[in-house]
Amino acid sequence: MRLLCPTNSIRERQRRAGLTPVNHHRHNRLALKEQSAKNAARKAEQLKEEATAKKNAFRPNSSRGSVRPASARPGTAASSSASAVDQYGVDYVSMNKTAVVSAAAQRGAALRKKLEERDALKNMTWTEKKRYHVGEVPGYLLARKAELAEAARVKREMEERSHIPVGMRVLPEEERVKTLEILRENREDTYEKLRSLPFKCETPSSKRTKAALEFRLAEIEDAQKVFSRNRVLVREVPEEDEEEDAGSASD
């Protein structure tokens, strides 16, 4: 019989011998269920212990009285507000809070206005959208206007230069104002020197000094009248003469 129908495994030989093979799969499932039950019981016990510990931690102590949080203790708010104020009485915390709130409100208002305009533009018809910017000057017209103004300025400067005699130039506004300031200082200095002279000059030297100061004062006043004009023409000094003057000054 064994030769005609051989067995392929130990479990088959056990069945032919009248024995029941061990069901390892069932045993493993039972072991897993038992281990899961133990783990669940241990976890429940651990959670129960943690809950009991938390409950005991917040339970008031009869010997010391109930424990209140720091925010409910008297004087905490006053001390925190006092610490926010510096020695000069400036509450920088409140100032920063106000600045942040104000900036956020401005950003929110700008965003709300932008969203309202976008929603209004969405609800407009094609004709309303076409007339939405009626009355506004287009950008290309503004640019063209600026170009025409610049061209007119250049043309006006060229015409003014054509009326300038040869060898002369228009004194820049900065130099004209600076020259007027120097003339004003010289006039005050000359006037103070005249005031320091005697009321009646009898000696020849005092008479010459008085005459020179009066002549100098008249020259300064005439120069002030000239440089007070809007357009002042001065002699154009060549570069060679300027270099010679600079060299003589250095010598």
Side-chain angles (χ1 to χ4, degrees):
M1 183 66 181
R2 292 180 180 178
L3 295 175
L4 296 176
C5 187
T7 57
N8 296 325
S9 62
I10 297 176
R11 299 176 68 84
E12 186 67 24
R13 288 198 295 268
Q14 288 178 352
R15 288 192 186 94
R16 289 185 179 184
L19 301 176
T20 303
V22 180
N23 192 349
H24 297 287
H25 179 67
R26 181 173 177 275
H27 290 175
N28 291 336
R29 289 180 60 187
L30 293 176
L32 288 174
K33 286 184 179 181
E34 184 179 359
Q35 187 64 33
S36 297
K38 290 180 180 179
N39 293 338
R42 185 168 58 253
K43 188 174 182 180
E45 186 67 22
Q46 185 178 0
L47 292 175
K48 185 177 179 181
E49 291 178 357
E50 291 178 357
T52 305
K54 289 181 180 180
K55 187 176 180 181
N56 294 332
F58 288 98
R59 182 176 297 173
N61 193 354
S62 59
S63 60
R64 296 185 180 181
S66 60
V67 179
R68 291 182 294 178
S71 60
R73 295 176 186 173
T76 305
S79 61
S80 61
S81 61
S83 61
V85 181
D86 66 348
Q87 57 181 347
Y88 300 104
V90 181
D91 191 354
Y92 292 102
V93 175
S94 299
M95 292 173 60
N96 294 336
K97 186 187 298 183
T98 304
V100 170
V101 171
S102 177
Q106 292 178 0
R107 290 195 300 269
L111 181 60
R112 183 171 61 254
K113 183 178 179 181
K114 186 177 180 180
L115 293 176
E116 290 176 355
E117 291 180 355
R118 187 183 64 181
D119 295 340
L121 190 61
K122 286 182 179 179
N123 298 328
M124 287 182 182
T125 60
W126 182 83
T127 306
E128 292 176 346
K129 289 181 180 179
K130 189 176 180 181
R131 298 178 179 177
Y132 182 65
H133 294 287
V134 172
E136 296 183 3
V137 181
Y140 70 93
L141 289 181
L142 294 176
R144 181 58 178 168
K145 185 178 180 180
E147 292 178 1
L148 293 176
E150 182 66 18
R153 185 186 64 81
V154 173
K155 183 178 180 181
R156 184 171 59 254
E157 290 182 356
M158 293 180 65
E159 290 179 354
E160 291 178 356
R161 290 177 183 176
S162 63
H163 296 291
I164 298 175
V166 180
M168 304 291 288
R169 66 181 180 89
V170 178
L171 188 68
E173 183 66 17
E174 183 179 357
E175 294 184 13
R176 187 183 70 84
V177 174
K178 187 176 181 180
T179 304
L180 278 175
E181 184 66 21
I182 295 173
L183 290 173
R184 185 185 63 80
E185 294 177 357
N186 292 339
R187 183 178 182 277
E188 292 179 357
D189 183 50
T190 306
Y191 187 71
E192 288 296 329
K193 290 180 180 179
L194 273 174
R195 290 181 59 185
S196 63
L197 292 176
F199 181 75
K200 187 176 181 181
C201 298
E202 297 179 352
T203 61
S205 60
S206 60
K207 290 180 180 180
R208 287 194 300 270
T209 303
K210 183 179 180 181
L213 291 175
E214 289 177 348
F215 181 76
R216 174 64 176 166
L217 187 61
E219 284 185 340
I220 293 174
E221 291 177 352
D222 292 339
Q224 283 182 331
K225 292 179 181 179
V226 172
F227 283 93
S228 297
R229 300 171 184 171
N230 295 329
R231 183 185 179 192
V232 180
L233 297 178
V234 295
R235 187 173 66 87
E236 189 172 3
V237 181
E239 295 181 359
E240 297 179 357
D241 296 345
E242 292 181 356
E243 293 178 357
E244 291 179 359
D245 294 340
S248 60
S250 61
D251 294 339

